[in-house]
PDB file of all heavy atoms in Angstrom:
ATOM      1  N   LYS A   1    -242.854  38.053  56.863  1.00 96.00           N
ATOM      2  CA  LYS A   1    -243.481  36.850  57.405  1.00 96.00           C
ATOM      3  C   LYS A   1    -244.085  37.146  58.769  1.00 96.00           C
ATOM      4  O   LYS A   1    -243.673  38.089  59.451  1.00 96.00           O
ATOM      5  CB  LYS A   1    -242.448  35.726  57.532  1.00 96.00           C
ATOM      6  CG  LYS A   1    -241.823  35.299  56.202  1.00 96.00           C
ATOM      7  CD  LYS A   1    -240.796  34.201  56.409  1.00 96.00           C
ATOM      8  CE  LYS A   1    -240.170  33.780  55.079  1.00 96.00           C
ATOM      9  NZ  LYS A   1    -239.150  32.710  55.283  1.00 96.00           N
ATOM     10  N   SER A   2    -245.034  36.322  59.177  1.00 97.00           N
ATOM     11  CA  SER A   2    -245.692  36.511  60.472  1.00 97.00           C
ATOM     12  C   SER A   2    -244.700  36.328  61.616  1.00 97.00           C
ATOM     13  O   SER A   2    -243.745  35.548  61.518  1.00 97.00           O
ATOM     14  CB  SER A   2    -246.858  35.529  60.615  1.00 97.00           C
ATOM     15  OG  SER A   2    -247.866  35.824  59.667  1.00 97.00           O
ATOM     16  N   ILE A   3    -244.944  37.050  62.702  1.00 98.00           N
ATOM     17  CA  ILE A   3    -244.031  37.091  63.843  1.00 98.00           C
ATOM     18  C   ILE A   3    -244.746  36.515  65.070  1.00 98.00           C
ATOM     19  O   ILE A   3    -245.864  36.915  65.379  1.00 98.00           O
ATOM     20  CB  ILE A   3    -243.587  38.544  64.137  1.00 98.00           C
ATOM     21  CG1 ILE A   3    -243.004  39.179  62.877  1.00 98.00           C
ATOM     22  CG2 ILE A   3    -242.594  38.574  65.291  1.00 98.00           C
ATOM     23  CD1 ILE A   3    -241.794  38.474  62.314  1.00 98.00           C
ATOM     24  N   PRO A   4    -244.112  35.591  65.800  1.00 98.00           N
ATOM     25  CA  PRO A   4    -244.765  34.990  66.971  1.00 98.00           C
ATOM     26  C   PRO A   4    -244.841  35.952  68.152  1.00 98.00           C
ATOM     27  O   PRO A   4    -244.177  36.992  68.168  1.00 98.00           O
ATOM     28  CB  PRO A   4    -243.873  33.788  67.288  1.00 98.00           C
ATOM     29  CG  PRO A   4    -242.520  34.162  66.749  1.00 98.00           C
ATOM     30  CD  PRO A   4    -242.796  34.983  65.522  1.00 98.00           C
ATOM     31  N   ASN A   5    -245.629  35.581  69.140  1.00 98.00           N
ATOM     32  CA  ASN A   5    -245.790  36.401  70.341  1.00 98.00           C
ATOM     33  C   ASN A   5    -244.443  36.696  71.002  1.00 98.00           C
ATOM     34  O   ASN A   5    -243.596  35.802  71.133  1.00 98.00           O
ATOM     35  CB  ASN A   5    -246.684  35.693  71.358  1.00 98.00           C
ATOM     36  CG  ASN A   5    -248.115  35.563  70.891  1.00 98.00           C
ATOM     37  OD1 ASN A   5    -248.454  35.971  69.787  1.00 98.00           O
ATOM     38  ND2 ASN A   5    -248.964  35.000  71.738  1.00 98.00           N
ATOM     39  N   PHE A   6    -244.241  37.932  71.396  1.00 98.00           N
ATOM     40  CA  PHE A   6    -243.100  38.390  72.193  1.00 98.00           C
ATOM     41  C   PHE A   6    -241.748  38.282  71.485  1.00 98.00           C
ATOM     42  O   PHE A   6    -240.711  38.371  72.132  1.00 98.00           O
ATOM     43  CB  PHE A   6    -243.034  37.638  73.533  1.00 98.00           C
ATOM     44  CG  PHE A   6    -244.292  37.747  74.337  1.00 98.00           C
ATOM     45  CD1 PHE A   6    -245.141  36.662  74.494  1.00 98.00           C
ATOM     46  CD2 PHE A   6    -244.645  38.951  74.925  1.00 98.00           C
ATOM     47  CE1 PHE A   6    -246.311  36.764  75.221  1.00 98.00           C
ATOM     48  CE2 PHE A   6    -245.818  39.065  75.653  1.00 98.00           C
ATOM     49  CZ  PHE A   6    -246.651  37.963  75.807  1.00 98.00           C
ATOM     50  N   ALA A   7    -241.778  38.133  70.174  1.00 98.00           N
ATOM     51  CA  ALA A   7    -240.515  38.111  69.429  1.00 98.00           C
ATOM     52  C   ALA A   7    -240.093  39.531  69.092  1.00 98.00           C
ATOM     53  O   ALA A   7    -240.920  40.388  68.781  1.00 98.00           O
ATOM     54  CB  ALA A   7    -240.668  37.299  68.159  1.00 98.00           C
ATOM     55  N   ILE A   8    -238.787  39.782  69.154  1.00 98.00           N
ATOM     56  CA  ILE A   8    -238.206  41.047  68.716  1.00 98.00           C
ATOM     57  C   ILE A   8    -237.481  40.789  67.408  1.00 98.00           C
ATOM     58  O   ILE A   8    -236.604  39.919  67.335  1.00 98.00           O
ATOM     59  CB  ILE A   8    -237.230  41.613  69.765  1.00 98.00           C
ATOM     60  CG1 ILE A   8    -237.953  41.861  71.091  1.00 98.00           C
ATOM     61  CG2 ILE A   8    -236.580  42.902  69.266  1.00 98.00           C
ATOM     62  CD1 ILE A   8    -237.033  42.319  72.216  1.00 98.00           C
ATOM     63  N   VAL A   9    -237.859  41.512  66.354  1.00 98.00           N
ATOM     64  CA  VAL A   9    -237.283  41.281  65.034  1.00 98.00           C
ATOM     65  C   VAL A   9    -236.799  42.596  64.443  1.00 98.00           C
ATOM     66  O   VAL A   9    -237.220  43.678  64.847  1.00 98.00           O
ATOM     67  CB  VAL A   9    -238.299  40.617  64.084  1.00 98.00           C
ATOM     68  CG1 VAL A   9    -238.826  39.310  64.669  1.00 98.00           C
ATOM     69  CG2 VAL A   9    -239.463  41.559  63.787  1.00 98.00           C
ATOM     70  N   GLY A  10    -235.917  42.491  63.450  1.00 98.00           N
ATOM     71  CA  GLY A  10    -235.424  43.683  62.780  1.00 98.00           C
ATOM     72  C   GLY A  10    -234.691  43.340  61.511  1.00 98.00           C
ATOM     73  O   GLY A  10    -234.260  42.195  61.307  1.00 98.00           O
ATOM     74  N   GLY A  11    -234.554  44.328  60.633  1.00 98.00           N
ATOM     75  CA  GLY A  11    -233.800  44.148  59.401  1.00 98.00           C
ATOM     76  C   GLY A  11    -234.666  44.108  58.166  1.00 98.00           C
ATOM     77  O   GLY A  11    -235.884  44.220  58.228  1.00 98.00           O
ATOM     78  N   ASN A  12    -234.023  43.924  57.012  1.00 97.00           N
ATOM     79  CA  ASN A  12    -234.701  43.833  55.725  1.00 97.00           C
ATOM     80  C   ASN A  12    -234.124  42.660  54.928  1.00 97.00           C
ATOM     81  O   ASN A  12    -233.011  42.748  54.419  1.00 97.00           O
ATOM     82  CB  ASN A  12    -234.520  45.120  54.935  1.00 97.00           C
ATOM     83  CG  ASN A  12    -235.219  45.083  53.591  1.00 97.00           C
ATOM     84  OD1 ASN A  12    -235.967  44.166  53.294  1.00 97.00           O
ATOM     85  ND2 ASN A  12    -234.963  46.094  52.763  1.00 97.00           N
ATOM     86  N   PRO A  13    -234.854  41.543  54.883  1.00 97.00           N
ATOM     87  CA  PRO A  13    -236.142  41.289  55.555  1.00 97.00           C
ATOM     88  C   PRO A  13    -235.934  41.090  57.059  1.00 97.00           C
ATOM     89  O   PRO A  13    -234.840  40.732  57.507  1.00 97.00           O
ATOM     90  CB  PRO A  13    -236.642  40.005  54.892  1.00 97.00           C
ATOM     91  CG  PRO A  13    -235.388  39.294  54.502  1.00 97.00           C
ATOM     92  CD  PRO A  13    -234.424  40.379  54.087  1.00 97.00           C
ATOM     93  N   ALA A  14    -236.988  41.329  57.828  1.00 98.00           N
ATOM     94  CA  ALA A  14    -236.885  41.238  59.285  1.00 98.00           C
ATOM     95  C   ALA A  14    -236.550  39.811  59.718  1.00 98.00           C
ATOM     96  O   ALA A  14    -237.134  38.843  59.222  1.00 98.00           O
ATOM     97  CB  ALA A  14    -238.185  41.690  59.930  1.00 98.00           C
ATOM     98  N   LYS A  15    -235.611  39.716  60.656  1.00 98.00           N
ATOM     99  CA  LYS A  15    -235.218  38.417  61.200  1.00 98.00           C
ATOM    100  C   LYS A  15    -235.308  38.441  62.729  1.00 98.00           C
ATOM    101  O   LYS A  15    -235.214  39.502  63.351  1.00 98.00           O
ATOM    102  CB  LYS A  15    -233.793  38.077  60.756  1.00 98.00           C
ATOM    103  CG  LYS A  15    -233.651  37.893  59.256  1.00 98.00           C
ATOM    104  CD  LYS A  15    -232.232  37.509  58.877  1.00 98.00           C
ATOM    105  CE  LYS A  15    -232.113  37.294  57.379  1.00 98.00           C
ATOM    106  NZ  LYS A  15    -230.721  36.910  56.978  1.00 98.00           N
ATOM    107  N   PHE A  16    -235.441  37.258  63.300  1.00 98.00           N
ATOM    108  CA  PHE A  16    -235.553  37.130  64.750  1.00 98.00           C
ATOM    109  C   PHE A  16    -234.266  37.616  65.419  1.00 98.00           C
ATOM    110  O   PHE A  16    -233.161  37.251  65.023  1.00 98.00           O
ATOM    111  CB  PHE A  16    -235.819  35.668  65.118  1.00 98.00           C
ATOM    112  CG  PHE A  16    -235.869  35.406  66.592  1.00 98.00           C
ATOM    113  CD1 PHE A  16    -237.018  35.657  67.322  1.00 98.00           C
ATOM    114  CD2 PHE A  16    -234.751  34.907  67.261  1.00 98.00           C
ATOM    115  CE1 PHE A  16    -237.067  35.402  68.689  1.00 98.00           C
ATOM    116  CE2 PHE A  16    -234.787  34.654  68.621  1.00 98.00           C
ATOM    117  CZ  PHE A  16    -235.950  34.909  69.331  1.00 98.00           C
ATOM    118  N   ILE A  17    -234.421  38.451  66.462  1.00 98.00           N
ATOM    119  CA  ILE A  17    -233.273  38.937  67.239  1.00 98.00           C
ATOM    120  C   ILE A  17    -233.219  38.234  68.590  1.00 98.00           C
ATOM    121  O   ILE A  17    -232.215  37.637  68.950  1.00 98.00           O
ATOM    122  CB  ILE A  17    -233.357  40.465  67.438  1.00 98.00           C
ATOM    123  CG1 ILE A  17    -233.291  41.178  66.072  1.00 98.00           C
ATOM    124  CG2 ILE A  17    -232.238  40.948  68.351  1.00 98.00           C
ATOM    125  CD1 ILE A  17    -233.498  42.681  66.153  1.00 98.00           C
ATOM    126  N   LYS A  18    -234.328  38.307  69.327  1.00 98.00           N
ATOM    127  CA  LYS A  18    -234.403  37.630  70.620  1.00 98.00           C
ATOM    128  C   LYS A  18    -235.842  37.655  71.112  1.00 98.00           C
ATOM    129  O   LYS A  18    -236.697  38.332  70.550  1.00 98.00           O
ATOM    130  CB  LYS A  18    -233.496  38.310  71.645  1.00 98.00           C
ATOM    131  CG  LYS A  18    -233.904  39.733  72.008  1.00 98.00           C
ATOM    132  CD  LYS A  18    -232.969  40.301  73.071  1.00 98.00           C
ATOM    133  CE  LYS A  18    -233.395  41.712  73.487  1.00 98.00           C
ATOM    134  NZ  LYS A  18    -232.507  42.259  74.544  1.00 98.00           N
ATOM    135  N   TRP A  19    -236.085  36.882  72.178  1.00 98.00           N
ATOM    136  CA  TRP A  19    -237.383  36.918  72.826  1.00 98.00           C
ATOM    137  C   TRP A  19    -237.440  38.080  73.802  1.00 98.00           C
ATOM    138  O   TRP A  19    -236.439  38.404  74.449  1.00 98.00           O
ATOM    139  CB  TRP A  19    -237.670  35.620  73.576  1.00 98.00           C
ATOM    140  CG  TRP A  19    -237.821  34.423  72.701  1.00 98.00           C
ATOM    141  CD1 TRP A  19    -236.954  33.368  72.594  1.00 98.00           C
ATOM    142  CD2 TRP A  19    -238.891  34.155  71.790  1.00 98.00           C
ATOM    143  NE1 TRP A  19    -237.408  32.461  71.688  1.00 98.00           N
ATOM    144  CE2 TRP A  19    -238.607  32.921  71.171  1.00 98.00           C
ATOM    145  CE3 TRP A  19    -240.053  34.842  71.451  1.00 98.00           C
ATOM    146  CZ2 TRP A  19    -239.446  32.357  70.219  1.00 98.00           C
ATOM    147  CZ3 TRP A  19    -240.892  34.278  70.494  1.00 98.00           C
ATOM    148  CH2 TRP A  19    -240.595  33.054  69.900  1.00 98.00           C
ATOM    149  N   ARG A  20    -238.589  38.679  73.917  1.00 98.00           N
ATOM    150  CA  ARG A  20    -238.763  39.803  74.836  1.00 98.00           C
ATOM    151  C   ARG A  20    -238.664  39.340  76.289  1.00 98.00           C
ATOM    152  O   ARG A  20    -238.137  40.074  77.137  1.00 98.00           O
ATOM    153  CB  ARG A  20    -240.128  40.439  74.561  1.00 98.00           C
ATOM    154  CG  ARG A  20    -240.385  41.741  75.262  1.00 98.00           C
ATOM    155  CD  ARG A  20    -241.660  42.374  74.733  1.00 98.00           C
ATOM    156  NE  ARG A  20    -242.190  43.378  75.629  1.00 98.00           N
ATOM    157  CZ  ARG A  20    -243.371  43.958  75.491  1.00 98.00           C
ATOM    158  NH1 ARG A  20    -244.147  43.610  74.465  1.00 98.00           N
ATOM    159  NH2 ARG A  20    -243.783  44.862  76.341  1.00 98.00           N
ATOM    160  N   PHE A  21    -239.178  38.144  76.581  1.00 98.00           N
ATOM    161  CA  PHE A  21    -239.126  37.574  77.934  1.00 98.00           C
ATOM    162  C   PHE A  21    -238.783  36.103  77.838  1.00 98.00           C
ATOM    163  O   PHE A  21    -238.902  35.493  76.772  1.00 98.00           O
ATOM    164  CB  PHE A  21    -240.486  37.725  78.649  1.00 98.00           C
ATOM    165  CG  PHE A  21    -241.035  39.130  78.655  1.00 98.00           C
ATOM    166  CD1 PHE A  21    -242.152  39.459  77.900  1.00 98.00           C
ATOM    167  CD2 PHE A  21    -240.430  40.124  79.415  1.00 98.00           C
ATOM    168  CE1 PHE A  21    -242.666  40.745  77.902  1.00 98.00           C
ATOM    169  CE2 PHE A  21    -240.929  41.422  79.421  1.00 98.00           C
ATOM    170  CZ  PHE A  21    -242.052  41.728  78.659  1.00 98.00           C
ATOM    171  N   GLU A  22    -238.368  35.515  78.963  1.00 97.00           N
ATOM    172  CA  GLU A  22    -238.094  34.078  78.982  1.00 97.00           C
ATOM    173  C   GLU A  22    -239.398  33.305  78.832  1.00 97.00           C
ATOM    174  O   GLU A  22    -240.498  33.832  79.029  1.00 97.00           O
ATOM    175  CB  GLU A  22    -237.379  33.693  80.273  1.00 97.00           C
ATOM    176  CG  GLU A  22    -238.172  33.965  81.529  1.00 97.00           C
ATOM    177  CD  GLU A  22    -237.373  33.613  82.780  1.00 97.00           C
ATOM    178  OE1 GLU A  22    -236.140  33.805  82.766  1.00 97.00           O
ATOM    179  OE2 GLU A  22    -237.996  33.156  83.751  1.00 97.00           O
ATOM    180  N   GLU A  23    -239.273  32.026  78.512  1.00 97.00           N
ATOM    181  CA  GLU A  23    -240.435  31.229  78.130  1.00 97.00           C
ATOM    182  C   GLU A  23    -241.513  31.168  79.200  1.00 97.00           C
ATOM    183  O   GLU A  23    -242.710  31.299  78.901  1.00 97.00           O
ATOM    184  CB  GLU A  23    -240.003  29.814  77.751  1.00 97.00           C
ATOM    185  CG  GLU A  23    -241.159  28.957  77.237  1.00 97.00           C
ATOM    186  CD  GLU A  23    -240.710  27.589  76.771  1.00 97.00           C
ATOM    187  OE1 GLU A  23    -239.498  27.292  76.881  1.00 97.00           O
ATOM    188  OE2 GLU A  23    -241.562  26.815  76.291  1.00 97.00           O
ATOM    189  N   SER A  24    -241.134  30.965  80.455  1.00 97.00           N
ATOM    190  CA  SER A  24    -242.133  30.843  81.519  1.00 97.00           C
ATOM    191  C   SER A  24    -242.941  32.138  81.669  1.00 97.00           C
ATOM    192  O   SER A  24    -244.155  32.103  81.922  1.00 97.00           O
ATOM    193  CB  SER A  24    -241.466  30.492  82.849  1.00 97.00           C
ATOM    194  OG  SER A  24    -240.530  31.503  83.234  1.00 97.00           O
ATOM    195  N   VAL A  25    -242.284  33.275  81.491  1.00 98.00           N
ATOM    196  CA  VAL A  25    -242.967  34.568  81.575  1.00 98.00           C
ATOM    197  C   VAL A  25    -243.897  34.739  80.385  1.00 98.00           C
ATOM    198  O   VAL A  25    -245.040  35.202  80.532  1.00 98.00           O
ATOM    199  CB  VAL A  25    -241.948  35.727  81.640  1.00 98.00           C
ATOM    200  CG1 VAL A  25    -242.670  37.071  81.601  1.00 98.00           C
ATOM    201  CG2 VAL A  25    -241.103  35.616  82.896  1.00 98.00           C
TER     202      VAL A  25
END
């Protein structure tokens, strides 16, 4: 599936792990 800006994903199927930066950044 498509991945939003600055998202870190992984796995099979890939799942959201965390945001690369906080929202304001």
Side-chain angles (χ1 to χ4, degrees):
K1 298 179 180 179
S2 294
I3 306 300
N5 293 2
F6 304 109
I8 300 175
V9 304
N12 181 8
K15 296 182 179 180
F16 176 82
I17 297 175
K18 65 178 182 179
W19 294 110
R20 189 171 162 189
F21 308 110
E22 62 182 35
E23 184 176 2
S24 60
V25 175

